[in-house]
Amino acid sequence: MNSSTTKQTPHRIGFVSLGCPKATVDSEHILTQLRAEGYDIVPSYEDADLVVVNTCGFIDAAIEESLEAIGEALDENGKVIVTGCLGAKGDIVKQTHPNVLAVTGPHATDEVMSAIHQYLPAKHDPFIDLVPPQGVRLTPRHYAYLKISEGCNHRCTFCIIPSLRGDLVSRPVNDVLVEAERLAAAGVKELLVVSQDTSAYGVDVKYKTEFYNGMPVKTRMTELCQALSQFGIWVRLHYVYPYPHVNEIIPLMAEGKILPYLDIPFQHASAKILKAMKRPACSENTLQRINQWREICPDITIRSTFIAGFPGETEEDFEQLLNFLDAAQLDRVGCFAYSDVDGAKANELTGAVPEEVKQERVARFMEKQAGISANKLKKNIGKIREIIIDKVGNEQLIGRSSSDAPDIDGLVYVKITNNNNYQVGDIIQVKITDTDEYDMWATK
Ligand code: SF4
Protein backbone atom coordinates (compact mmCIF):
# COMPACT_ATOMS: atom_id res chain seq x y z
CA MET A 1 0.00 0.00 0.00
CA ASN A 2 1.22 3.46 -0.90
CA SER A 3 2.30 5.27 2.29
CA SER A 4 0.20 8.32 1.39
CA THR A 5 -2.94 6.20 1.73
CA THR A 6 -1.91 4.39 4.93
CA LYS A 7 -4.44 5.23 7.64
CA GLN A 8 -2.84 6.08 11.00
CA THR A 9 -4.68 5.85 14.33
CA PRO A 10 -5.97 9.38 14.91
CA HIS A 11 -5.51 11.29 18.15
CA ARG A 12 -8.58 11.12 20.37
CA ILE A 13 -10.13 14.17 22.00
CA GLY A 14 -12.66 14.21 24.84
CA PHE A 15 -14.98 17.22 24.88
CA VAL A 16 -17.05 18.71 27.71
CA SER A 17 -19.44 21.46 26.61
CA LEU A 18 -21.07 23.67 29.26
CA GLY A 19 -22.98 26.94 29.06
CA CYS A 20 -25.54 28.66 26.89
CA PRO A 21 -26.51 28.07 23.23
CA LYS A 22 -23.79 30.50 22.13
CA ALA A 23 -21.20 28.36 23.90
CA THR A 24 -22.74 25.29 22.25
CA VAL A 25 -22.15 26.88 18.86
CA ASP A 26 -18.49 27.55 19.82
CA SER A 27 -18.19 23.86 20.80
CA GLU A 28 -19.66 22.82 17.46
CA HIS A 29 -17.11 24.93 15.59
CA ILE A 30 -14.20 23.41 17.53
CA LEU A 31 -15.57 19.86 17.09
CA THR A 32 -16.05 20.46 13.37
CA GLN A 33 -12.47 21.70 13.04
CA LEU A 34 -11.16 18.72 15.05
CA ARG A 35 -12.99 16.28 12.79
CA ALA A 36 -11.88 18.21 9.70
CA GLU A 37 -8.27 17.78 10.81
CA GLY A 38 -8.68 14.07 11.46
CA TYR A 39 -8.97 13.97 15.26
CA ASP A 40 -11.43 11.46 16.73
CA ILE A 41 -13.96 12.63 19.31
CA VAL A 42 -14.40 10.09 22.13
CA PRO A 43 -17.05 9.98 24.86
CA SER A 44 -14.90 8.97 27.87
CA TYR A 45 -11.96 10.45 29.73
CA GLU A 46 -10.03 7.18 29.67
CA ASP A 47 -10.14 6.85 25.88
CA ALA A 48 -9.07 10.44 25.28
CA ASP A 49 -5.51 11.63 24.65
CA LEU A 50 -6.59 15.10 25.75
CA VAL A 51 -9.79 16.78 26.97
CA VAL A 52 -11.20 20.19 25.97
CA VAL A 53 -13.58 21.82 28.47
CA ASN A 54 -15.77 24.66 27.13
CA THR A 55 -16.79 26.64 30.20
CA CYS A 56 -19.40 29.18 31.26
CA GLY A 57 -18.55 32.15 33.47
CA PHE A 58 -21.82 34.00 33.66
CA ILE A 59 -23.01 33.52 37.25
CA ASP A 60 -21.39 32.05 40.35
CA ALA A 61 -23.13 28.66 40.00
CA ALA A 62 -21.89 28.35 36.40
CA ILE A 63 -18.32 29.27 37.43
CA GLU A 64 -18.40 26.59 40.13
CA GLU A 65 -19.77 23.99 37.72
CA SER A 66 -17.07 24.87 35.18
CA LEU A 67 -14.26 24.71 37.73
CA GLU A 68 -15.55 21.32 38.93
CA ALA A 69 -15.70 20.01 35.36
CA ILE A 70 -12.08 21.09 34.77
CA GLY A 71 -11.02 19.39 38.04
CA GLU A 72 -12.79 16.17 37.06
CA ALA A 73 -11.17 16.16 33.61
CA LEU A 74 -7.75 16.71 35.22
CA ASP A 75 -8.29 13.88 37.73
CA GLU A 76 -9.62 11.45 35.14
CA ASN A 77 -7.39 12.32 32.20
CA GLY A 78 -4.69 14.81 33.16
CA LYS A 79 -4.33 16.69 29.85
CA VAL A 80 -6.87 19.51 29.73
CA ILE A 81 -7.37 22.61 27.56
CA VAL A 82 -9.93 25.13 28.80
CA THR A 83 -11.92 27.48 26.57
CA GLY A 84 -15.09 29.59 26.89
CA CYS A 85 -16.33 32.47 29.03
CA LEU A 86 -14.60 31.40 32.24
CA GLY A 87 -11.30 31.43 30.35
CA ALA A 88 -11.79 35.15 29.75
CA LYS A 89 -12.16 35.87 33.46
CA GLY A 90 -8.59 36.70 34.43
CA ASP A 91 -6.54 34.05 36.17
CA ILE A 92 -9.31 32.15 37.93
CA VAL A 93 -8.78 28.94 35.92
CA LYS A 94 -4.97 28.89 36.26
CA GLN A 95 -5.18 29.79 39.94
CA THR A 96 -7.62 27.00 40.73
CA HIS A 97 -6.14 24.42 38.35
CA PRO A 98 -2.49 25.32 37.62
CA ASN A 99 -1.99 22.05 35.67
CA VAL A 100 -4.27 22.87 32.73
CA LEU A 101 -2.32 22.96 29.47
CA ALA A 102 -3.88 26.12 28.02
CA VAL A 103 -6.71 28.56 28.66
CA THR A 104 -8.55 30.62 26.01
CA GLY A 105 -11.62 32.84 26.06
CA PRO A 106 -14.86 32.20 24.17
CA HIS A 107 -15.17 32.12 20.38
CA ALA A 108 -11.54 31.00 20.05
CA THR A 109 -11.53 27.99 17.71
CA ASP A 110 -8.14 28.99 16.23
CA GLU A 111 -6.48 29.38 19.65
CA VAL A 112 -7.92 26.07 20.90
CA MET A 113 -6.73 24.33 17.73
CA SER A 114 -3.23 25.75 18.04
CA ALA A 115 -3.05 24.56 21.68
CA ILE A 116 -4.18 21.10 20.55
CA HIS A 117 -1.59 21.10 17.73
CA GLN A 118 1.09 21.90 20.30
CA TYR A 119 0.26 18.88 22.50
CA LEU A 120 -1.14 16.48 19.87
CA PRO A 121 0.08 17.40 16.38
CA ALA A 122 -2.47 16.28 13.74
CA LYS A 123 -1.61 13.01 11.97
CA HIS A 124 -1.94 12.67 8.25
CA ASP A 125 -5.21 11.02 7.38
CA PRO A 126 -6.37 10.76 3.76
CA PHE A 127 -9.92 10.18 4.95
CA ILE A 128 -10.34 13.47 6.77
CA ASP A 129 -12.83 14.93 4.34
CA LEU A 130 -15.45 12.52 5.59
CA VAL A 131 -16.66 15.30 7.87
CA PRO A 132 -20.30 16.05 7.09
CA PRO A 133 -20.54 19.35 5.19
CA GLN A 134 -22.90 20.83 7.80
CA GLY A 135 -20.17 20.31 10.44
CA VAL A 136 -20.53 18.49 13.75
CA ARG A 137 -23.49 19.54 15.85
CA LEU A 138 -24.46 18.95 19.47
CA THR A 139 -28.19 19.60 19.02
CA PRO A 140 -30.54 16.87 17.68
CA ARG A 141 -30.52 16.53 13.91
CA HIS A 142 -33.74 18.42 13.25
CA TYR A 143 -32.87 21.78 14.80
CA ALA A 144 -29.70 23.86 14.93
CA TYR A 145 -28.44 27.07 16.46
CA LEU A 146 -27.23 29.62 13.92
CA LYS A 147 -24.89 32.15 15.51
CA ILE A 148 -24.88 35.43 13.58
CA SER A 149 -22.59 37.60 15.69
CA GLU A 150 -20.38 37.67 18.72
CA GLY A 151 -20.09 40.31 21.47
CA CYS A 152 -22.32 43.28 22.30
CA ASN A 153 -22.15 47.09 22.05
CA HIS A 154 -24.50 47.67 25.01
CA ARG A 155 -23.32 48.08 28.55
CA CYS A 156 -26.23 46.83 30.65
CA THR A 157 -25.01 47.35 34.19
CA PHE A 158 -25.87 43.82 35.39
CA CYS A 159 -24.00 42.09 32.57
CA ILE A 160 -20.34 41.29 31.96
CA ILE A 161 -20.74 39.75 28.53
CA PRO A 162 -19.21 42.76 26.71
CA SER A 163 -16.12 42.52 28.92
CA LEU A 164 -15.92 38.75 28.32
CA ARG A 165 -16.73 38.73 24.60
CA GLY A 166 -15.97 42.28 23.48
CA ASP A 167 -17.96 44.60 21.22
CA LEU A 168 -20.28 43.34 18.49
CA VAL A 169 -18.64 41.49 15.60
CA SER A 170 -21.16 40.35 12.97
CA ARG A 171 -20.50 37.31 10.82
CA PRO A 172 -20.58 38.05 7.10
CA VAL A 173 -24.16 37.53 5.96
CA ASN A 174 -23.10 35.27 3.07
CA ASP A 175 -21.27 32.96 5.56
CA VAL A 176 -24.39 32.82 7.72
CA LEU A 177 -26.57 32.00 4.70
CA VAL A 178 -24.16 29.34 3.40
CA GLU A 179 -24.23 27.70 6.86
CA ALA A 180 -28.05 27.88 6.93
CA GLU A 181 -28.25 26.37 3.45
CA ARG A 182 -25.96 23.47 4.48
CA LEU A 183 -27.96 22.86 7.64
CA ALA A 184 -31.23 22.81 5.68
CA ALA A 185 -29.70 20.45 3.11
CA ALA A 186 -28.58 18.15 5.95
CA GLY A 187 -32.17 17.81 7.22
CA VAL A 188 -32.41 20.58 9.80
CA LYS A 189 -36.02 21.76 10.03
CA GLU A 190 -35.68 24.59 12.53
CA LEU A 191 -32.99 27.28 12.78
CA LEU A 192 -32.58 29.08 16.09
CA VAL A 193 -30.90 32.39 15.37
CA VAL A 194 -28.69 33.35 18.32
CA SER A 195 -26.23 36.09 19.27
CA GLN A 196 -25.88 38.43 22.25
CA ASP A 197 -27.99 41.02 20.44
CA THR A 198 -29.72 39.76 17.29
CA SER A 199 -31.31 43.10 16.35
CA ALA A 200 -27.88 44.81 16.27
CA TYR A 201 -26.72 42.47 13.51
CA GLY A 202 -24.58 44.39 11.02
CA VAL A 203 -24.21 47.64 13.03
CA ASP A 204 -20.44 47.09 13.26
CA VAL A 205 -20.05 46.68 9.47
CA LYS A 206 -22.48 49.52 8.67
CA TYR A 207 -24.99 47.00 7.28
CA LYS A 208 -22.56 46.12 4.50
CA THR A 209 -24.05 44.51 1.37
CA GLU A 210 -22.59 41.07 0.58
CA PHE A 211 -23.48 38.59 -2.12
CA TYR A 212 -25.11 35.21 -1.61
CA ASN A 213 -25.60 33.13 -4.76
CA GLY A 214 -25.03 36.28 -6.80
CA MET A 215 -27.81 38.18 -5.00
CA PRO A 216 -27.03 41.27 -2.88
CA VAL A 217 -28.01 40.92 0.80
CA LYS A 218 -27.48 43.56 3.50
CA THR A 219 -25.85 42.51 6.79
CA ARG A 220 -28.98 43.48 8.70
CA MET A 221 -31.59 41.58 10.74
CA THR A 222 -34.59 42.25 8.48
CA GLU A 223 -32.73 41.32 5.29
CA LEU A 224 -31.21 38.27 6.99
CA CYS A 225 -34.68 37.08 8.03
CA GLN A 226 -35.98 37.60 4.48
CA ALA A 227 -33.05 35.60 3.10
CA LEU A 228 -33.37 32.80 5.67
CA SER A 229 -37.03 32.35 4.76
CA GLN A 230 -36.03 31.01 1.31
CA PHE A 231 -34.92 27.69 2.85
CA GLY A 232 -38.50 26.78 3.70
CA ILE A 233 -37.74 25.74 7.30
CA TRP A 234 -38.69 27.21 10.67
CA VAL A 235 -36.64 30.27 11.64
CA ARG A 236 -36.87 31.37 15.28
CA LEU A 237 -35.26 34.56 16.60
CA HIS A 238 -33.64 34.73 20.02
CA TYR A 239 -32.17 37.59 22.07
CA VAL A 240 -33.75 40.45 20.17
CA TYR A 241 -32.95 43.74 21.90
CA PRO A 242 -35.96 46.11 21.74
CA TYR A 243 -34.68 48.53 19.07
CA PRO A 244 -37.30 50.42 16.99
CA HIS A 245 -36.45 48.47 13.81
CA VAL A 246 -37.70 45.24 15.44
CA ASN A 247 -41.07 46.49 14.11
CA GLU A 248 -39.84 45.65 10.57
CA ILE A 249 -39.73 41.90 11.15
CA ILE A 250 -43.29 41.56 12.48
CA PRO A 251 -44.81 41.64 8.94
CA LEU A 252 -42.42 38.80 7.99
CA MET A 253 -43.90 36.82 10.87
CA ALA A 254 -47.45 37.65 9.73
CA GLU A 255 -46.57 36.43 6.21
CA GLY A 256 -45.26 33.13 7.61
CA LYS A 257 -41.70 33.80 6.43
CA ILE A 258 -40.24 33.37 9.91
CA LEU A 259 -41.90 31.95 13.03
CA PRO A 260 -44.21 34.39 14.84
CA TYR A 261 -42.00 34.20 17.93
CA LEU A 262 -40.05 37.02 19.49
CA ASP A 263 -37.61 36.41 22.34
CA ILE A 264 -37.13 39.97 23.56
CA PRO A 265 -35.70 40.55 27.05
CA PHE A 266 -37.42 43.60 28.58
CA GLN A 267 -35.77 43.08 32.03
CA HIS A 268 -38.03 45.54 33.91
CA ALA A 269 -40.89 48.03 33.52
CA SER A 270 -39.96 50.81 35.94
CA ALA A 271 -38.32 53.72 34.10
CA LYS A 272 -36.03 54.32 37.09
CA ILE A 273 -34.81 50.71 37.20
CA LEU A 274 -34.44 50.48 33.40
CA LYS A 275 -32.27 53.60 33.56
CA ALA A 276 -30.13 52.09 36.34
CA MET A 277 -29.80 48.94 34.21
CA LYS A 278 -28.90 51.09 31.18
CA ARG A 279 -31.68 49.47 29.20
CA PRO A 280 -33.73 51.32 26.59
CA ALA A 281 -37.47 52.01 26.48
CA CYS A 282 -40.15 52.87 28.95
CA SER A 283 -43.04 50.57 29.71
CA GLU A 284 -45.70 52.75 28.02
CA ASN A 285 -43.83 52.71 24.72
CA THR A 286 -43.22 49.01 25.11
CA LEU A 287 -46.94 48.35 25.68
CA GLN A 288 -47.82 50.42 22.64
CA ARG A 289 -45.34 48.49 20.53
CA ILE A 290 -46.58 45.12 21.77
CA ASN A 291 -50.14 46.13 20.83
CA GLN A 292 -48.98 47.20 17.36
CA TRP A 293 -47.14 43.91 16.89
CA ARG A 294 -50.27 41.99 17.83
CA GLU A 295 -52.37 44.02 15.41
CA ILE A 296 -49.99 43.14 12.57
CA CYS A 297 -49.41 39.53 13.65
CA PRO A 298 -52.17 38.30 16.00
CA ASP A 299 -50.48 34.89 16.42
CA ILE A 300 -47.19 36.29 17.70
CA THR A 301 -45.71 34.63 20.79
CA ILE A 302 -43.70 37.06 22.90
CA ARG A 303 -41.12 35.61 25.28
CA SER A 304 -39.26 37.82 27.70
CA THR A 305 -37.05 37.74 30.76
CA PHE A 306 -37.06 40.04 33.78
CA ILE A 307 -34.89 40.69 36.81
CA ALA A 308 -36.49 41.19 40.23
CA GLY A 309 -34.66 42.76 43.16
CA PHE A 310 -32.27 44.92 41.13
CA PRO A 311 -30.44 47.41 43.43
CA GLY A 312 -32.74 50.33 44.24
CA GLU A 313 -35.94 48.46 43.32
CA THR A 314 -38.66 49.62 45.70
CA GLU A 315 -42.00 47.91 46.28
CA GLU A 316 -43.51 50.58 44.04
CA ASP A 317 -41.06 49.77 41.19
CA PHE A 318 -41.86 46.10 41.58
CA GLU A 319 -45.60 46.77 41.48
CA GLN A 320 -45.08 48.68 38.24
CA LEU A 321 -43.51 45.50 36.90
CA LEU A 322 -46.50 43.40 38.00
CA ASN A 323 -48.89 45.94 36.44
CA PHE A 324 -46.88 45.79 33.24
CA LEU A 325 -47.27 41.99 33.22
CA ASP A 326 -51.03 42.39 33.59
CA ALA A 327 -51.17 44.89 30.75
CA ALA A 328 -48.69 43.20 28.38
CA GLN A 329 -50.09 39.64 28.72
CA LEU A 330 -46.80 38.14 27.52
CA ASP A 331 -46.85 34.50 26.50
CA ARG A 332 -43.60 33.10 27.88
CA VAL A 333 -41.73 34.72 30.71
CA GLY A 334 -38.72 34.01 32.91
CA CYS A 335 -37.78 35.94 36.05
CA PHE A 336 -34.45 35.87 37.86
CA ALA A 337 -33.58 37.24 41.27
CA TYR A 338 -30.82 39.82 40.80
CA SER A 339 -27.42 38.62 41.94
CA ASP A 340 -24.08 40.40 41.83
CA VAL A 341 -21.82 39.17 39.05
CA ASP A 342 -18.10 39.75 39.54
CA GLY A 343 -17.05 42.76 37.49
CA ALA A 344 -20.58 44.09 36.78
CA LYS A 345 -21.22 47.84 37.20
CA ALA A 346 -24.49 47.19 39.05
CA ASN A 347 -22.47 45.92 42.04
CA GLU A 348 -21.53 49.54 42.75
CA LEU A 349 -25.16 50.68 42.98
CA THR A 350 -26.69 51.45 46.36
CA GLY A 351 -30.02 50.12 47.61
CA ALA A 352 -29.30 46.38 47.61
CA VAL A 353 -32.54 44.43 48.04
CA PRO A 354 -32.41 41.82 50.85
CA GLU A 355 -32.27 38.23 49.57
CA GLU A 356 -35.60 37.20 51.11
CA VAL A 357 -37.35 40.20 49.47
CA LYS A 358 -35.85 39.27 46.09
CA GLN A 359 -37.07 35.69 46.43
CA GLU A 360 -40.50 36.81 47.57
CA ARG A 361 -40.75 39.15 44.54
CA VAL A 362 -39.70 36.41 42.12
CA ALA A 363 -42.38 34.13 43.63
CA ARG A 364 -45.07 36.85 43.30
CA PHE A 365 -43.97 37.55 39.75
CA MET A 366 -44.07 33.88 38.74
CA GLU A 367 -47.45 33.36 40.38
CA LYS A 368 -48.93 36.25 38.42
CA GLN A 369 -47.37 35.08 35.18
CA ALA A 370 -48.50 31.47 35.72
CA GLY A 371 -52.11 32.73 35.72
CA ILE A 372 -51.52 34.81 32.57
CA SER A 373 -49.76 31.94 30.76
CA ALA A 374 -52.48 29.45 31.72
CA ASN A 375 -55.21 31.76 30.40
CA LYS A 376 -53.35 32.44 27.20
CA LEU A 377 -52.60 28.77 26.52
CA LYS A 378 -56.22 27.82 27.26
CA LYS A 379 -57.26 29.80 24.17
CA ASN A 380 -55.59 27.09 22.08
CA ILE A 381 -58.07 24.40 23.14
CA GLY A 382 -60.00 23.18 20.11
CA LYS A 383 -57.58 24.82 17.66
CA ILE A 384 -55.39 23.14 15.06
CA ARG A 385 -51.70 23.92 15.64
CA GLU A 386 -48.63 22.97 13.68
CA ILE A 387 -45.92 21.21 15.69
CA ILE A 388 -42.41 19.95 15.01
CA ILE A 389 -41.85 16.45 16.41
CA ASP A 390 -38.99 16.08 18.92
CA LYS A 391 -39.72 12.49 20.08
CA VAL A 392 -41.71 9.57 18.72
CA GLY A 393 -43.18 6.95 21.05
CA ASN A 394 -45.68 4.14 20.50
CA GLU A 395 -48.65 5.99 21.91
CA GLN A 396 -47.40 9.54 22.07
CA LEU A 397 -45.47 12.13 20.11
CA ILE A 398 -43.71 14.98 21.89
CA GLY A 399 -43.33 18.15 19.92
CA ARG A 400 -43.31 21.91 20.03
CA SER A 401 -45.50 24.54 18.41
CA SER A 402 -44.24 27.81 16.94
CA SER A 403 -44.71 29.22 20.47
CA ASP A 404 -42.17 26.85 22.01
CA ALA A 405 -38.39 27.11 21.63
CA PRO A 406 -36.44 23.98 22.59
CA ASP A 407 -35.32 23.68 26.23
CA ILE A 408 -36.86 26.95 27.44
CA ASP A 409 -40.57 26.80 26.56
CA GLY A 410 -43.37 24.24 26.79
CA LEU A 411 -44.08 21.00 24.96
CA VAL A 412 -47.03 19.55 23.08
CA TYR A 413 -47.93 15.93 24.00
CA VAL A 414 -49.83 14.28 21.17
CA LYS A 415 -51.81 11.07 21.70
CA ILE A 416 -51.56 8.74 18.71
CA THR A 417 -53.33 5.48 17.99
CA ASN A 418 -50.88 4.19 15.42
CA ASN A 419 -47.32 5.17 14.72
CA ASN A 420 -47.91 6.07 11.04
CA ASN A 421 -44.16 6.34 10.43
CA TYR A 422 -43.79 9.64 12.22
CA GLN A 423 -40.21 10.90 12.20
CA VAL A 424 -38.41 13.29 14.51
CA GLY A 425 -38.38 16.66 12.69
CA ASP A 426 -41.68 16.09 10.87
CA ILE A 427 -43.96 19.13 11.00
CA ILE A 428 -47.58 18.02 11.46
CA GLN A 429 -50.93 19.50 12.41
CA VAL A 430 -52.58 18.48 15.66
CA LYS A 431 -55.76 19.39 17.54
CA ILE A 432 -55.18 20.89 21.00
CA THR A 433 -57.34 19.24 23.65
CA ASP A 434 -55.94 20.52 26.95
CA THR A 435 -53.40 22.98 28.36
CA ASP A 436 -51.81 24.07 31.64
CA GLU A 437 -49.54 27.05 32.28
CA TYR A 438 -46.64 25.68 30.19
CA ASP A 439 -47.60 22.67 28.07
CA MET A 440 -50.35 21.57 25.72
CA TRP A 441 -51.97 18.19 25.01
CA ALA A 442 -53.31 17.24 21.60
CA THR A 443 -54.64 14.51 19.35
CA LYS A 444 -53.73 13.78 15.80
S1 SF4 B 1 -27.63 43.60 25.61
FE1 SF4 B 1 -27.43 41.58 26.57
S2 SF4 B 1 -25.30 40.93 26.22
FE2 SF4 B 1 -25.41 43.14 25.78
S3 SF4 B 1 -24.77 44.10 27.71
FE3 SF4 B 1 -27.03 43.98 27.74
S4 SF4 B 1 -27.51 42.04 28.76
FE4 SF4 B 1 -25.35 41.98 28.19
Side-chain angles (χ1 to χ4, degrees):
M1 190 186 274
N2 180 317
S3 66
S4 69
T5 58
T6 304
K7 193 169 184 323
Q8 301 181 30
T9 318
H11 289 306
R12 293 155 305 177
I13 310 287
F15 205 100
V16 179
S17 184
L18 305 170
C20 65
K22 285 150 279 193
T24 305
V25 176
D26 285 353
S27 294
E28 289 171 352
H29 287 168
I30 298 168
L31 288 167
T32 299
Q33 193 55 34
L34 284 166
R35 288 286 302 280
E37 293 188 18
Y39 292 89
D40 263 359
I41 315 297
V42 292
S44 69
Y45 292 121
E46 60 191 30
D47 292 333
D49 298 316
L50 180 154
V51 177
V52 178
V53 182
N54 188 5
T55 58
C56 176
F58 190 44
I59 52 169
D60 289 349
I63 294 174
E64 224 165 88
E65 187 193 7
S66 293
L67 288 172
E68 268 173 31
I70 297 166
E72 185 182 292
L74 279 169
D75 289 346
E76 300 286 330
N77 181 282
K79 280 190 172 165
V80 176
I81 289 173
V82 176
T83 183
C85 286
L86 188 59
K89 290 193 99 181
D91 294 334
I92 181 165
V93 175
K94 277 275 184 195
Q95 273 165 7
T96 319
H97 297 298
N99 294 333
V100 296
L101 300 176
V103 182
T104 83
H107 199 45
T109 305
D110 291 348
E111 286 170 63
V112 172
M113 289 311 298
S114 67
I116 291 171
H117 295 154
Q118 191 186 337
Y119 294 98
L120 295 176
K123 295 179 182 175
H124 173 69
D125 183 342
F127 302 105
I128 56 173
D129 52 11
L130 294 178
V131 178
Q134 74 278 18
V136 177
R137 291 186 296 107
L138 297 174
T139 44
R141 196 171 161 269
H142 64 297
Y143 66 83
Y145 292 100
L146 182 67
K147 183 149 81 171
I148 60 169
S149 62
E150 189 53 62
C152 180
N153 287 347
H154 297 287
R155 295 294 181 263
C156 303
T157 51
F158 53 82
C159 176
I160 53 163
I161 282 176
S163 65
L164 292 178
R165 297 191 167 220
D167 280 343
L168 177 82
V169 179
S170 301
R171 283 181 67 196
V173 69
N174 50 324
D175 279 9
V176 173
L177 291 171
V178 166
E179 183 177 347
E181 183 187 332
R182 283 194 190 139
L183 289 165
V188 165
K189 298 285 171 37
E190 179 180 7
L191 288 174
L192 304 142
V193 176
V194 292
S195 67
Q196 311 297 343
D197 179 5
T198 295
S199 36
Y201 181 57
V203 167
D204 54 319
V205 293
K206 303 198 170 52
Y207 306 121
K208 188 174 167 201
T209 299
E210 305 259 2
F211 287 85
Y212 168 70
N213 279 346
M215 297 292 290
V217 190
K218 269 190 173 183
T219 313
R220 196 166 174 276
M221 179 176 65
T222 310
E223 285 78 357
L224 174 69
C225 290
Q226 282 273 14
L228 287 173
S229 71
Q230 71 187 280
F231 301 118
I233 57 179
W234 282 13
V235 175
R236 190 185 292 280
L237 300 185
H238 284 288
Y239 314 115
V240 177
Y241 192 87
Y243 288 107
H245 72 270
V246 171
N247 295 7
E248 292 174 17
I249 55 171
I250 311 300
L252 301 182
M253 297 182 177
E255 290 163 30
K257 290 190 165 172
I258 57 174
L259 288 181
Y261 179 97
L262 197 56
D263 174 9
I264 186 158
F266 294 123
Q267 309 298 9
H268 213 282
S270 142
K272 180 188 100 193
I273 298 297
L274 284 168
K275 191 163 173 228
M277 289 175 166
K278 285 212 176 158
R279 298 284 300 183
C282 75
S283 58
E284 275 156 43
N285 276 346
T286 304
L287 282 175
Q288 234 177 30
R289 294 182 73 196
I290 291 173
N291 289 337
Q292 282 168 2
W293 296 340
R294 288 190 174 131
E295 268 170 37
I296 299 167
C297 182
D299 292 338
I300 192 169
T301 295
I302 303 174
R303 149 167 274 280
S304 195
T305 47
F306 294 87
I307 296 173
F310 191 77
E313 183 189 72
T314 59
E315 178 60 25
E316 198 190 330
D317 294 317
F318 180 68
E319 276 174 16
Q320 275 184 41
L321 179 53
L322 293 185
N323 291 341
F324 172 80
L325 276 190
D326 269 333
Q329 295 284 303
L330 302 174
D331 302 86
R332 305 287 194 190
V333 167
C335 182
F336 304 97
Y338 171 81
S339 73
D340 276 352
V341 175
D342 252 4
K345 280 265 172 243
N347 304 354
E348 296 158 21
L349 297 173
T350 53
V353 177
E355 199 50 45
E356 65 276 11
V357 177
K358 286 186 208 165
Q359 296 306 335
E360 182 246 0
R361 287 182 184 167
V362 170
R364 280 162 68 198
F365 180 107
M366 292 315 287
E367 196 188 327
K368 176 164 283 292
Q369 182 59 33
I372 294 171
S373 298
N375 278 337
K376 295 210 78 175
L377 275 186
K378 208 184 267 173
K379 295 189 178 136
N380 284 281
I381 296 177
K383 287 195 180 156
I384 305 291
R385 297 275 325 242
E386 204 165 56
I387 65 156
I388 187 164
I389 301 176
D390 284 335
K391 259 191 204 149
V392 177
N394 286 336
E395 291 169 5
Q396 179 175 261
L397 307 170
I398 301 180
R400 290 173 291 107
S401 70
S402 63
S403 312
D404 309 301
D407 295 332
I408 51 175
D409 293 326
L411 295 170
V412 184
Y413 298 93
V414 187
K415 205 164 154 191
I416 46 171
T417 40
N418 61 49
N419 186 309
N420 250 345
N421 288 333
Y422 294 113
Q423 306 284 336
V424 167
D426 285 351
I427 293 175
I428 60 166
Q429 300 210 319
V430 299
K431 186 171 182 188
I432 306 297
T433 53
D434 199 7
T435 56
D436 65 10
E437 60 264 56
Y438 302 109
D439 300 321
M440 299 196 274
W441 284 260
T443 52
K444 180 64 194 113

